[in-house]
Amino acid sequence: MNRLLKHNTTLIKFWCLQGNARLLNSKIPPIPVVKLTDENNLPPQTKINQETIELLERLSLVDFANKRGIERLEDAIKFADLIRGIDTSGVEPMISVLEDRTLYLRDDIVTEGNCRKEVMSNAAVTEEEYFVAPQGNIPLIPRDSLLNDNKSSKQK
Amino acid sequence: MLSLSIRQISRKLKDGALLPSDVCAACLYQAEKLKTLNMFVRLTKEVAEIQAKEADSRYKNGNIRCLLDGIPVAVKDNYCTLNVETTCSSQMLENFKPQYNATMVQKLQNAGAVLLGKCNMDEFAMGSGTVDSIHGPSKNIWQSGKCATSIEHVHSVKVKCREFYQLSPPSSKGSCSTVEEDDWFIAGGSSGGSAVAVASGTVFAALGSDTGGSTRNPAAYCGVVGLKPSYGLLSRHGLIPLVNSMDVPGILTRTVDDAVTLLNVLAGYDPLDSTTIRDDFIPLDLSQDIDISKMRIGIPQEYHCPGISDEVLETWSEVADILEKAGAEVVSVSMPHTPSSIACYSVLNQCEVASNMARYDGIEFGLRTAENRSTEELYASTRSQGFNEIVRGRILAGNYFLLQRNYSQYFVQALKVRRLIAQDFARVWSSGIDVLLTPTTLTDAPRYSQFISRDNREQCASQDYCTQPANMAGCPAVTIPIKLSKQGLPLSLQLMSQNYRENLLLAIARWIESVVDFPHLELDI
């Protein structure tokens, strides 16, 4: 940041000297204003291990498909790490912008019904009045680790 | 006829110069002619023709419902439409036929609007280019070789105005150079289909949705007005959710007045959405011109960020100059948490996505694969096949941030940063700023080849920089087209105001709109 500040004057001069650059409105900063992220303040980059992969696939019920999928998660974590250094001590989490308003409950009155046919019309498999699912509580079949795999290996 | 505003066409309908079914036929013809832009996922021709006929008889009998009666509109494909497929551009919902209308769709219908079709989008609204859709990408109409711009007209009519306000002349002559077949300018996203439909004169207004800028981004790239209303003003019932705490229905029109017409029809409490506010909605009335010299306009410093193009910067500066010249007080303000907004959003988005997408399991609706070994295997195989890699990636990342060991350092931390961002806005409003003026996007529309060279997360990180913070704070924001870039593409700016102050926001937007006189496309050819 200090280095950037030192260069400020030079940059402003450069900006003004540019032939076709119009003079900006004085309220708009002549150079980008950003808080530079201090790389040293960032947590070390997260590497995902096999155990986490299996846990996430079980929770998410989607698979990583290939090694690129794992890298994509690692990138997402790296990006999210940018907020971990922000000082939020004493700050309450904000869940909704309507937090200062009353959330009303509806009266406990039936307003619609008799729509079983409509509700079930989008199900691929039904039996009389039931949705149909295969047998439950059977763990997913384990598959080969993707960590050492370089080609996209879609399971099944 | 197709380049008229809702007000203008409505007058012609009232005068009897045109019938709603004539307008509908012209729009359907336009949709057919511009098919290659891929703005529609599905045209609802039969529905439209019936609705137009009904409007015909209302006009003949003189019981017109409102300005929107008989006007062709379109909605993004994430709004539920009764018995009309609603795909969210995903294989998961390819055959999904809702058995009810979203409140927004119902309100349009009650107003007499004619539903022309469902618009293309990024899968489950996760994107900023309308390039990640099972229906293929949408293309921007600007520089598509499909129509000419009326720059000459602007020169002759508004030259005095331009001289007075020193708005630099349009840099392009609006030439019609066709972009190569396999490379073109993106429409922006995720409501890209809606923006192209409005820009191309195929409809007079369209609904998008806006969670991080999904209405404003394509509106900016396509040179139309894009309004993200305050959170809680418009019902989300029947809008397939992305991030519940930030999603709002978005309005796309060609003029600010038309956006007001739509807002007045759509806003208000809905018993079917507990997050709509109960205050009585007072319809906006912009018939009185505002006194711009009484306005305080804030320029947030942090919106000048790396990657912003010189042309966008210049446009921003010119409009600030225009406002200053007209006597408004233009003030520089600081909103220090702006740069954290995108990273914070990435956490909140993926966490809510992980939760919201849990409903897609193949049992009650949507795709179901043939897998029959167990419920778990059926779920996993359906979801792996039904979602594209971006959706799957966000679900996995969301569940990672929600793991017990990560919950407080990522999810709760993001909620706290969200408050800091919202507080930046609160501070600005309490200091007496009426509206904030910022860029909408960092550049004009990128080429397809350039856009897809980066992955989805990087795309969204740069595309949503200026638009995302408004969703964090829930405040209303509108993008309006200002001028054309050297490449002949729209350059737009964004205005934001305090929550529920749409009246002031749109009054100032309309004032700017009338001064800059953005060149509109010649649509009837």
Side-chain angles (χ1 to χ4, degrees), chain A residues 25 27 29 32-33 60-61 63 79 81 83-84 86 88 92-94 98-99 101 122 132 134-138 141, chain B residues 97 275 278-279 301 304 317-318 321 324 330 364-365 368 373-377 383-384 399 405 409-410 413 415 419 457:
Chain A
N25 181 289
K27 309 308 181 310
V33 175
S60 307
L61 288 165
D63 60 57
F79 189 57
D81 281 338
I83 62 166
R84 284 174 64 188
I86 299 171
T88 54
E92 282 292 310
M94 183 177 190
L98 303 177
E99 59 187 3
R101 288 174 177 262
N122 275 296
V132 178
Q135 196 177 354
N137 288 323
I138 303 171
I141 299 162
Chain B
K97 273 192 187 176
T275 59
R278 289 209 173 195
D279 307 5
Q301 304 296 286
H304 184 176
S317 171
E318 282 169 13
D321 287 343
E324 237 166 23
V330 178
E364 299 93 345
F365 56 89
R368 175 177 180 141
R373 260 174 297 182
S374 69
T375 316
E376 288 79 0
E377 291 290 350
R383 291 161 62 80
S384 288
N399 278 324
R405 62 173 191 262
Q409 57 185 344
Y410 288 107
Q413 172 73 355
L415 291 173
R419 182 175 303 279
R457 192 186 53 70

Short mmCIF file of all heavy atoms in Angstrom, two decimals, chain A residues 25 27 29 32-33 60-61 63 79 81 83-84 86 88 92-94 98-99 101 122 132 134-138 141, chain B residues 97 275 278-279 301 304 317-318 321 324 330 364-365 368 373-377 383-384 399 405 409-410 413 415 419 457:
data_model
loop_
_atom_site.label_atom_id
_atom_site.label_comp_id
_atom_site.label_asym_id
_atom_site.label_seq_id
_atom_site.Cartn_x
_atom_site.Cartn_y
_atom_site.Cartn_z
N ASN A 25 -13.73 14.13 -13.72
CA ASN A 25 -14.42 14.91 -12.69
C ASN A 25 -13.66 14.76 -11.38
O ASN A 25 -13.20 13.66 -11.03
CB ASN A 25 -15.85 14.36 -12.55
CG ASN A 25 -16.66 15.13 -11.53
OD1 ASN A 25 -16.40 15.03 -10.34
ND2 ASN A 25 -17.61 15.90 -12.00
N LYS A 27 -14.36 14.51 -8.44
CA LYS A 27 -14.86 13.62 -7.38
C LYS A 27 -14.52 12.16 -7.64
O LYS A 27 -14.67 11.31 -6.77
CB LYS A 27 -16.39 13.76 -7.24
CG LYS A 27 -16.90 15.18 -7.10
CD LYS A 27 -16.19 15.94 -6.00
CE LYS A 27 -16.71 17.36 -5.83
NZ LYS A 27 -16.79 18.14 -7.06
N PRO A 29 -11.77 9.39 -8.23
CA PRO A 29 -10.32 9.26 -8.01
C PRO A 29 -9.62 8.91 -9.33
O PRO A 29 -10.13 8.12 -10.11
CB PRO A 29 -10.22 8.11 -7.01
CG PRO A 29 -11.52 7.39 -7.06
CD PRO A 29 -12.54 8.37 -7.52
N PRO A 32 -7.31 3.68 -9.44
CA PRO A 32 -8.16 2.77 -8.68
C PRO A 32 -7.91 2.86 -7.17
O PRO A 32 -6.77 2.91 -6.73
CB PRO A 32 -7.77 1.39 -9.20
CG PRO A 32 -7.26 1.64 -10.57
CD PRO A 32 -6.59 2.98 -10.52
N VAL A 33 -8.98 2.90 -6.43
CA VAL A 33 -8.91 2.91 -4.97
C VAL A 33 -9.29 1.53 -4.48
O VAL A 33 -10.43 1.14 -4.57
CB VAL A 33 -9.90 3.94 -4.38
CG1 VAL A 33 -9.91 3.86 -2.86
CG2 VAL A 33 -9.53 5.33 -4.83
N SER A 60 -23.30 -33.67 -0.27
CA SER A 60 -23.83 -32.91 -1.41
C SER A 60 -24.63 -33.78 -2.37
O SER A 60 -25.45 -33.27 -3.13
CB SER A 60 -22.69 -32.27 -2.20
OG SER A 60 -21.86 -31.51 -1.36
N LEU A 61 -24.34 -35.08 -2.36
CA LEU A 61 -24.92 -36.00 -3.33
C LEU A 61 -24.70 -35.54 -4.76
O LEU A 61 -25.58 -35.64 -5.63
CB LEU A 61 -26.40 -36.27 -3.02
CG LEU A 61 -26.59 -37.14 -1.78
CD1 LEU A 61 -28.03 -37.10 -1.30
CD2 LEU A 61 -26.18 -38.59 -2.03
N ASP A 63 -20.97 -35.50 -7.39
CA ASP A 63 -19.57 -35.88 -7.31
C ASP A 63 -18.67 -34.81 -7.92
O ASP A 63 -19.13 -33.92 -8.62
CB ASP A 63 -19.34 -37.25 -7.96
CG ASP A 63 -19.73 -37.23 -9.41
OD1 ASP A 63 -19.18 -36.40 -10.15
OD2 ASP A 63 -20.60 -38.03 -9.80
N PHE A 79 -10.38 -17.95 -2.73
CA PHE A 79 -11.09 -16.68 -2.94
C PHE A 79 -11.82 -16.28 -1.66
O PHE A 79 -11.79 -15.13 -1.24
CB PHE A 79 -12.05 -16.82 -4.11
CG PHE A 79 -12.67 -15.52 -4.56
CD1 PHE A 79 -11.86 -14.45 -4.94
CD2 PHE A 79 -14.04 -15.36 -4.61
CE1 PHE A 79 -12.41 -13.25 -5.35
CE2 PHE A 79 -14.61 -14.16 -5.03
CZ PHE A 79 -13.79 -13.10 -5.40
N ASP A 81 -11.03 -17.02 1.29
CA ASP A 81 -10.06 -16.67 2.33
C ASP A 81 -9.83 -15.16 2.41
O ASP A 81 -9.37 -14.66 3.43
CB ASP A 81 -8.73 -17.39 2.07
CG ASP A 81 -8.77 -18.85 2.52
OD1 ASP A 81 -9.64 -19.17 3.38
OD2 ASP A 81 -7.98 -19.67 2.04
N ILE A 83 -11.84 -12.88 2.87
CA ILE A 83 -12.64 -12.19 3.90
C ILE A 83 -12.20 -12.59 5.32
O ILE A 83 -12.65 -11.98 6.28
CB ILE A 83 -14.16 -12.45 3.76
CG1 ILE A 83 -14.49 -13.93 3.93
CG2 ILE A 83 -14.69 -11.90 2.46
CD1 ILE A 83 -15.98 -14.20 4.16
N ARG A 84 -11.33 -13.58 5.42
CA ARG A 84 -11.01 -14.06 6.78
C ARG A 84 -10.17 -13.07 7.57
O ARG A 84 -10.22 -13.04 8.80
CB ARG A 84 -10.35 -15.43 6.72
CG ARG A 84 -11.37 -16.52 6.43
CD ARG A 84 -10.72 -17.86 6.22
NE ARG A 84 -10.04 -18.34 7.42
CZ ARG A 84 -9.27 -19.42 7.42
NH1 ARG A 84 -9.08 -20.11 6.31
NH2 ARG A 84 -8.68 -19.81 8.53
N ILE A 86 -10.55 -9.85 7.54
CA ILE A 86 -11.28 -8.61 7.86
C ILE A 86 -11.66 -8.58 9.34
O ILE A 86 -12.17 -9.58 9.87
CB ILE A 86 -12.54 -8.49 6.97
CG1 ILE A 86 -12.13 -8.44 5.49
CG2 ILE A 86 -13.36 -7.26 7.35
CD1 ILE A 86 -13.29 -8.55 4.53
N THR A 88 -13.83 -8.24 12.16
CA THR A 88 -15.28 -8.21 12.39
C THR A 88 -15.60 -8.33 13.87
O THR A 88 -16.70 -8.75 14.24
CB THR A 88 -15.99 -9.35 11.63
OG1 THR A 88 -15.38 -10.58 12.00
CG2 THR A 88 -15.91 -9.17 10.13
N GLU A 92 -22.25 -8.05 14.51
CA GLU A 92 -23.26 -9.12 14.52
C GLU A 92 -23.47 -9.64 13.09
O GLU A 92 -23.50 -8.85 12.14
CB GLU A 92 -24.60 -8.57 15.03
CG GLU A 92 -24.66 -8.42 16.53
CD GLU A 92 -24.65 -9.77 17.25
OE1 GLU A 92 -25.45 -10.65 16.87
OE2 GLU A 92 -23.82 -9.93 18.16
N PRO A 93 -23.64 -10.95 12.94
CA PRO A 93 -23.94 -11.47 11.60
C PRO A 93 -25.25 -10.88 11.06
O PRO A 93 -26.17 -10.65 11.83
CB PRO A 93 -24.09 -12.98 11.81
CG PRO A 93 -23.51 -13.26 13.15
CD PRO A 93 -23.60 -12.00 13.95
N MET A 94 -25.30 -10.61 9.77
CA MET A 94 -26.51 -10.06 9.16
C MET A 94 -27.12 -11.12 8.25
O MET A 94 -26.58 -11.44 7.20
CB MET A 94 -26.17 -8.82 8.35
CG MET A 94 -27.38 -8.14 7.75
SD MET A 94 -26.89 -6.63 6.89
CE MET A 94 -28.49 -5.92 6.58
N LEU A 98 -34.19 -7.53 6.25
CA LEU A 98 -35.48 -7.22 6.89
C LEU A 98 -35.42 -7.48 8.40
O LEU A 98 -36.45 -7.63 9.05
CB LEU A 98 -36.60 -8.05 6.27
CG LEU A 98 -36.79 -7.89 4.75
CD1 LEU A 98 -37.88 -8.82 4.26
CD2 LEU A 98 -37.12 -6.45 4.39
N GLU A 99 -34.19 -7.53 8.94
CA GLU A 99 -34.02 -7.93 10.34
C GLU A 99 -34.73 -6.99 11.33
O GLU A 99 -35.08 -7.40 12.42
CB GLU A 99 -32.53 -8.01 10.69
CG GLU A 99 -31.81 -6.68 10.47
CD GLU A 99 -30.30 -6.78 10.64
OE1 GLU A 99 -29.78 -7.87 10.87
OE2 GLU A 99 -29.65 -5.72 10.55
N ARG A 101 -37.62 -5.64 10.87
CA ARG A 101 -39.07 -5.66 10.65
C ARG A 101 -39.70 -6.90 11.27
O ARG A 101 -39.02 -7.91 11.43
CB ARG A 101 -39.39 -5.66 9.15
CG ARG A 101 -39.11 -4.32 8.51
CD ARG A 101 -39.30 -4.39 7.03
NE ARG A 101 -39.08 -3.07 6.46
CZ ARG A 101 -40.06 -2.23 6.16
NH1 ARG A 101 -41.32 -2.58 6.34
NH2 ARG A 101 -39.79 -1.04 5.67
N ASN A 122 -45.61 -33.72 -11.87
CA ASN A 122 -44.24 -33.59 -12.37
C ASN A 122 -43.32 -34.73 -11.92
O ASN A 122 -42.13 -34.71 -12.24
CB ASN A 122 -43.65 -32.25 -11.91
CG ASN A 122 -44.02 -31.12 -12.86
OD1 ASN A 122 -43.63 -31.14 -14.03
ND2 ASN A 122 -44.81 -30.18 -12.37
N VAL A 132 -42.49 -42.66 -5.79
CA VAL A 132 -41.76 -43.90 -5.65
C VAL A 132 -40.25 -43.64 -5.60
O VAL A 132 -39.73 -42.89 -6.42
CB VAL A 132 -42.07 -44.85 -6.83
CG1 VAL A 132 -41.27 -46.14 -6.70
CG2 VAL A 132 -43.56 -45.14 -6.89
N PRO A 134 -36.34 -45.79 -4.79
CA PRO A 134 -35.71 -47.08 -4.50
C PRO A 134 -35.42 -47.20 -3.01
O PRO A 134 -35.55 -46.22 -2.27
CB PRO A 134 -34.42 -47.06 -5.31
CG PRO A 134 -34.35 -45.75 -6.01
CD PRO A 134 -35.48 -44.91 -5.57
N GLN A 135 -35.00 -48.37 -2.59
CA GLN A 135 -34.76 -48.62 -1.16
C GLN A 135 -33.73 -47.64 -0.58
O GLN A 135 -32.73 -47.31 -1.24
CB GLN A 135 -34.26 -50.04 -0.98
CG GLN A 135 -34.36 -50.49 0.46
CD GLN A 135 -33.92 -51.93 0.63
OE1 GLN A 135 -33.65 -52.62 -0.35
NE2 GLN A 135 -33.86 -52.36 1.87
N GLY A 136 -33.99 -47.18 0.65
CA GLY A 136 -33.11 -46.19 1.25
C GLY A 136 -32.11 -46.79 2.22
O GLY A 136 -32.05 -48.02 2.39
N ASN A 137 -31.33 -45.90 2.87
CA ASN A 137 -30.35 -46.28 3.89
C ASN A 137 -29.32 -47.28 3.42
O ASN A 137 -28.89 -48.15 4.17
CB ASN A 137 -31.06 -46.81 5.14
CG ASN A 137 -31.73 -45.69 5.89
OD1 ASN A 137 -31.19 -44.58 5.95
ND2 ASN A 137 -32.90 -45.96 6.42
N ILE A 138 -28.95 -47.18 2.16
CA ILE A 138 -27.85 -47.99 1.64
C ILE A 138 -26.75 -47.01 1.26
O ILE A 138 -26.99 -46.11 0.48
CB ILE A 138 -28.28 -48.80 0.40
CG1 ILE A 138 -29.48 -49.70 0.75
CG2 ILE A 138 -27.11 -49.61 -0.16
CD1 ILE A 138 -30.11 -50.37 -0.44
N ILE A 141 -21.85 -46.42 -3.14
CA ILE A 141 -20.76 -47.33 -3.47
C ILE A 141 -19.47 -46.53 -3.55
O ILE A 141 -19.40 -45.53 -4.27
CB ILE A 141 -21.04 -48.03 -4.82
CG1 ILE A 141 -22.32 -48.85 -4.71
CG2 ILE A 141 -19.87 -48.89 -5.25
CD1 ILE A 141 -22.91 -49.23 -6.04
N LYS B 97 -43.15 -28.73 -15.59
CA LYS B 97 -44.29 -27.87 -15.92
C LYS B 97 -44.97 -27.44 -14.63
O LYS B 97 -45.72 -28.22 -14.03
CB LYS B 97 -45.31 -28.63 -16.78
CG LYS B 97 -45.03 -28.56 -18.25
CD LYS B 97 -46.24 -29.08 -19.02
CE LYS B 97 -45.93 -29.19 -20.49
NZ LYS B 97 -47.05 -29.77 -21.23
N THR B 275 -41.39 -12.63 2.91
CA THR B 275 -40.35 -11.59 2.91
C THR B 275 -40.76 -10.36 2.11
O THR B 275 -39.94 -9.47 1.88
CB THR B 275 -39.00 -12.12 2.35
OG1 THR B 275 -39.19 -12.59 1.01
CG2 THR B 275 -38.46 -13.24 3.21
N ARG B 278 -45.06 -5.31 4.36
CA ARG B 278 -46.50 -5.09 4.46
C ARG B 278 -46.92 -3.65 4.24
O ARG B 278 -48.11 -3.37 4.11
CB ARG B 278 -47.00 -5.52 5.84
CG ARG B 278 -46.97 -7.02 6.00
CD ARG B 278 -48.05 -7.45 6.96
NE ARG B 278 -48.15 -8.89 6.99
CZ ARG B 278 -49.18 -9.55 7.50
NH1 ARG B 278 -50.18 -8.88 8.05
NH2 ARG B 278 -49.21 -10.85 7.50
N ASP B 279 -45.94 -2.72 4.23
CA ASP B 279 -46.31 -1.32 4.03
C ASP B 279 -47.11 -1.18 2.75
O ASP B 279 -46.84 -1.86 1.77
CB ASP B 279 -45.04 -0.44 3.87
CG ASP B 279 -44.05 -0.65 5.01
OD1 ASP B 279 -44.31 -1.54 5.85
OD2 ASP B 279 -43.03 0.05 5.04
N GLN B 301 -15.67 6.21 -3.92
CA GLN B 301 -14.30 6.10 -4.44
C GLN B 301 -13.92 4.68 -4.82
O GLN B 301 -13.21 4.44 -5.77
CB GLN B 301 -13.33 6.59 -3.34
CG GLN B 301 -13.63 7.98 -2.86
CD GLN B 301 -13.44 8.99 -3.97
OE1 GLN B 301 -12.32 9.29 -4.33
NE2 GLN B 301 -14.54 9.46 -4.54
N HIS B 304 -13.98 2.91 -8.32
CA HIS B 304 -12.91 2.94 -9.32
C HIS B 304 -11.94 1.83 -8.95
O HIS B 304 -11.13 1.97 -8.04
CB HIS B 304 -12.20 4.30 -9.30
CG HIS B 304 -11.16 4.41 -10.38
ND1 HIS B 304 -10.45 5.54 -10.61
CD2 HIS B 304 -10.73 3.51 -11.29
CE1 HIS B 304 -9.61 5.34 -11.63
NE2 HIS B 304 -9.77 4.11 -12.04
N SER B 317 -17.42 10.00 -15.40
CA SER B 317 -16.99 11.37 -15.15
C SER B 317 -17.89 12.38 -15.87
O SER B 317 -18.26 13.41 -15.30
CB SER B 317 -15.54 11.51 -15.60
OG SER B 317 -15.15 12.84 -15.57
N GLU B 318 -18.25 12.06 -17.10
CA GLU B 318 -19.08 13.00 -17.88
C GLU B 318 -20.44 13.21 -17.23
O GLU B 318 -20.95 14.33 -17.17
CB GLU B 318 -19.27 12.47 -19.31
CG GLU B 318 -18.05 12.69 -20.18
CD GLU B 318 -18.13 11.95 -21.50
OE1 GLU B 318 -19.23 11.47 -21.85
OE2 GLU B 318 -17.09 11.84 -22.16
N ASP B 321 -20.09 15.34 -14.32
CA ASP B 321 -19.98 16.74 -14.77
C ASP B 321 -21.36 17.32 -15.10
O ASP B 321 -21.68 18.45 -14.73
CB ASP B 321 -19.12 16.82 -16.04
CG ASP B 321 -17.63 16.61 -15.75
OD1 ASP B 321 -17.25 16.73 -14.57
OD2 ASP B 321 -16.88 16.33 -16.71
N GLU B 324 -23.25 18.11 -12.02
CA GLU B 324 -22.67 19.27 -11.35
C GLU B 324 -23.08 20.56 -12.06
O GLU B 324 -23.48 21.54 -11.44
CB GLU B 324 -21.14 19.15 -11.35
CG GLU B 324 -20.55 19.19 -9.96
CD GLU B 324 -19.09 18.74 -9.92
OE1 GLU B 324 -18.39 18.81 -10.95
OE2 GLU B 324 -18.67 18.30 -8.83
N VAL B 330 -22.26 17.22 -6.16
CA VAL B 330 -21.62 15.92 -6.37
C VAL B 330 -20.51 15.77 -5.33
O VAL B 330 -19.61 16.60 -5.25
CB VAL B 330 -21.08 15.79 -7.81
CG1 VAL B 330 -20.37 14.46 -8.00
CG2 VAL B 330 -22.22 15.95 -8.81
N GLU B 364 -39.88 -36.01 -6.64
CA GLU B 364 -41.18 -35.34 -6.79
C GLU B 364 -41.34 -34.61 -8.12
O GLU B 364 -42.44 -34.43 -8.60
CB GLU B 364 -41.40 -34.34 -5.64
CG GLU B 364 -41.41 -34.95 -4.25
CD GLU B 364 -40.03 -34.91 -3.62
OE1 GLU B 364 -39.04 -34.66 -4.35
OE2 GLU B 364 -39.92 -35.14 -2.40
N PHE B 365 -40.22 -34.12 -8.64
CA PHE B 365 -40.29 -33.39 -9.91
C PHE B 365 -38.89 -33.35 -10.50
O PHE B 365 -37.92 -33.71 -9.83
CB PHE B 365 -40.81 -31.96 -9.71
CG PHE B 365 -40.01 -31.16 -8.73
CD1 PHE B 365 -38.92 -30.43 -9.15
CD2 PHE B 365 -40.33 -31.17 -7.36
CE1 PHE B 365 -38.17 -29.69 -8.25
CE2 PHE B 365 -39.58 -30.44 -6.46
CZ PHE B 365 -38.49 -29.70 -6.90
N ARG B 368 -35.09 -37.54 -13.44
CA ARG B 368 -34.86 -38.74 -12.64
C ARG B 368 -34.14 -39.74 -13.52
O ARG B 368 -34.64 -40.10 -14.58
CB ARG B 368 -36.19 -39.33 -12.16
CG ARG B 368 -36.03 -40.66 -11.43
CD ARG B 368 -37.37 -41.16 -10.93
NE ARG B 368 -37.23 -42.43 -10.22
CZ ARG B 368 -37.92 -42.75 -9.13
NH1 ARG B 368 -38.78 -41.89 -8.62
NH2 ARG B 368 -37.75 -43.91 -8.55
N ARG B 373 -30.47 -48.70 -7.58
CA ARG B 373 -29.85 -49.49 -6.51
C ARG B 373 -30.27 -49.03 -5.12
O ARG B 373 -30.51 -49.83 -4.23
CB ARG B 373 -28.33 -49.42 -6.63
CG ARG B 373 -27.72 -50.65 -7.28
CD ARG B 373 -26.25 -50.47 -7.49
NE ARG B 373 -25.99 -49.36 -8.39
CZ ARG B 373 -24.77 -48.99 -8.79
NH1 ARG B 373 -23.71 -49.62 -8.34
NH2 ARG B 373 -24.60 -47.97 -9.61
N SER B 374 -30.35 -47.72 -4.94
CA SER B 374 -30.75 -47.20 -3.62
C SER B 374 -31.21 -45.76 -3.81
O SER B 374 -30.93 -45.14 -4.83
CB SER B 374 -29.57 -47.24 -2.65
OG SER B 374 -28.61 -46.29 -3.04
N THR B 375 -31.89 -45.22 -2.80
CA THR B 375 -32.31 -43.82 -2.86
C THR B 375 -31.09 -42.93 -3.04
O THR B 375 -31.08 -42.02 -3.85
CB THR B 375 -33.01 -43.41 -1.54
OG1 THR B 375 -33.90 -44.46 -1.18
CG2 THR B 375 -33.77 -42.13 -1.71
N GLU B 376 -30.02 -43.20 -2.24
CA GLU B 376 -28.83 -42.38 -2.29
C GLU B 376 -28.21 -42.38 -3.69
O GLU B 376 -27.81 -41.33 -4.20
CB GLU B 376 -27.80 -42.86 -1.26
CG GLU B 376 -28.16 -42.57 0.19
CD GLU B 376 -29.19 -43.54 0.79
OE1 GLU B 376 -29.64 -44.45 0.07
OE2 GLU B 376 -29.54 -43.37 1.97
N GLU B 377 -28.11 -43.57 -4.28
CA GLU B 377 -27.51 -43.65 -5.62
C GLU B 377 -28.38 -42.91 -6.64
O GLU B 377 -27.88 -42.28 -7.55
CB GLU B 377 -27.32 -45.12 -6.06
CG GLU B 377 -26.27 -45.89 -5.29
CD GLU B 377 -24.83 -45.46 -5.58
OE1 GLU B 377 -24.61 -44.67 -6.53
OE2 GLU B 377 -23.93 -45.88 -4.83
N ARG B 383 -28.49 -35.94 -9.65
CA ARG B 383 -27.93 -34.61 -9.45
C ARG B 383 -26.63 -34.42 -10.25
O ARG B 383 -26.37 -33.31 -10.74
CB ARG B 383 -27.68 -34.39 -7.96
CG ARG B 383 -28.99 -34.27 -7.18
CD ARG B 383 -28.82 -34.52 -5.70
NE ARG B 383 -27.94 -33.55 -5.06
CZ ARG B 383 -28.31 -32.33 -4.70
NH1 ARG B 383 -29.54 -31.92 -4.93
NH2 ARG B 383 -27.46 -31.53 -4.12
N SER B 384 -25.86 -35.51 -10.40
CA SER B 384 -24.64 -35.37 -11.18
C SER B 384 -24.96 -35.17 -12.66
O SER B 384 -24.27 -34.47 -13.37
CB SER B 384 -23.75 -36.60 -10.99
OG SER B 384 -23.19 -36.55 -9.70
N ASN B 399 -21.17 -26.65 0.77
CA ASN B 399 -21.14 -27.63 1.86
C ASN B 399 -19.81 -27.63 2.59
O ASN B 399 -19.75 -27.92 3.78
CB ASN B 399 -21.49 -29.03 1.33
CG ASN B 399 -22.99 -29.21 1.20
OD1 ASN B 399 -23.76 -28.71 2.03
ND2 ASN B 399 -23.43 -29.90 0.17
N ARG B 405 -16.42 -27.48 11.07
CA ARG B 405 -15.10 -26.89 11.34
C ARG B 405 -14.88 -25.58 10.57
O ARG B 405 -13.98 -24.82 10.88
CB ARG B 405 -13.99 -27.90 11.02
CG ARG B 405 -13.92 -28.34 9.57
CD ARG B 405 -12.66 -29.20 9.34
NE ARG B 405 -12.40 -29.44 7.92
CZ ARG B 405 -12.75 -30.54 7.29
NH1 ARG B 405 -13.38 -31.53 7.91
NH2 ARG B 405 -12.44 -30.70 6.00
N GLN B 409 -15.66 -19.57 10.56
CA GLN B 409 -14.63 -18.76 9.88
C GLN B 409 -15.03 -18.39 8.45
O GLN B 409 -14.46 -17.45 7.90
CB GLN B 409 -13.28 -19.46 9.90
CG GLN B 409 -13.27 -20.84 9.29
CD GLN B 409 -11.94 -21.53 9.45
OE1 GLN B 409 -10.95 -20.90 9.75
NE2 GLN B 409 -11.92 -22.85 9.26
N TYR B 410 -15.96 -19.12 7.85
CA TYR B 410 -16.39 -18.73 6.51
C TYR B 410 -17.82 -18.17 6.51
O TYR B 410 -18.05 -17.02 6.19
CB TYR B 410 -16.29 -19.91 5.52
CG TYR B 410 -14.89 -20.26 5.17
CD1 TYR B 410 -14.29 -21.42 5.67
CD2 TYR B 410 -14.13 -19.43 4.33
CE1 TYR B 410 -12.98 -21.74 5.34
CE2 TYR B 410 -12.82 -19.74 3.99
CZ TYR B 410 -12.25 -20.91 4.50
OH TYR B 410 -10.96 -21.21 4.18
N GLN B 413 -18.48 -15.48 9.32
CA GLN B 413 -17.64 -14.34 8.98
C GLN B 413 -18.23 -13.57 7.78
O GLN B 413 -18.26 -12.34 7.77
CB GLN B 413 -16.21 -14.83 8.67
CG GLN B 413 -15.26 -13.76 8.11
CD GLN B 413 -14.81 -12.74 9.15
OE1 GLN B 413 -15.27 -12.74 10.29
NE2 GLN B 413 -13.92 -11.85 8.74
N LEU B 415 -21.35 -13.40 6.92
CA LEU B 415 -22.54 -12.68 7.39
C LEU B 415 -22.15 -11.39 8.11
O LEU B 415 -22.85 -10.37 8.03
CB LEU B 415 -23.38 -13.56 8.32
CG LEU B 415 -24.10 -14.77 7.69
CD1 LEU B 415 -24.73 -15.63 8.77
CD2 LEU B 415 -25.14 -14.33 6.67
N ARG B 419 -22.76 -7.31 7.02
CA ARG B 419 -23.23 -6.16 7.81
C ARG B 419 -22.32 -4.94 7.60
O ARG B 419 -22.81 -3.82 7.49
CB ARG B 419 -23.32 -6.51 9.30
CG ARG B 419 -23.85 -5.33 10.13
CD ARG B 419 -24.08 -5.66 11.58
NE ARG B 419 -24.98 -6.78 11.76
CZ ARG B 419 -26.31 -6.72 11.71
NH1 ARG B 419 -26.90 -5.56 11.46
NH2 ARG B 419 -27.05 -7.78 11.89
N ARG B 457 -16.11 -18.47 -11.87
CA ARG B 457 -15.92 -17.67 -10.66
C ARG B 457 -15.21 -16.36 -10.98
O ARG B 457 -15.58 -15.29 -10.50
CB ARG B 457 -15.12 -18.45 -9.61
CG ARG B 457 -15.16 -17.78 -8.24
CD ARG B 457 -14.26 -18.46 -7.23
NE ARG B 457 -12.91 -18.60 -7.70
CZ ARG B 457 -12.05 -17.61 -7.87
NH1 ARG B 457 -12.42 -16.37 -7.62
NH2 ARG B 457 -10.82 -17.82 -8.33
#
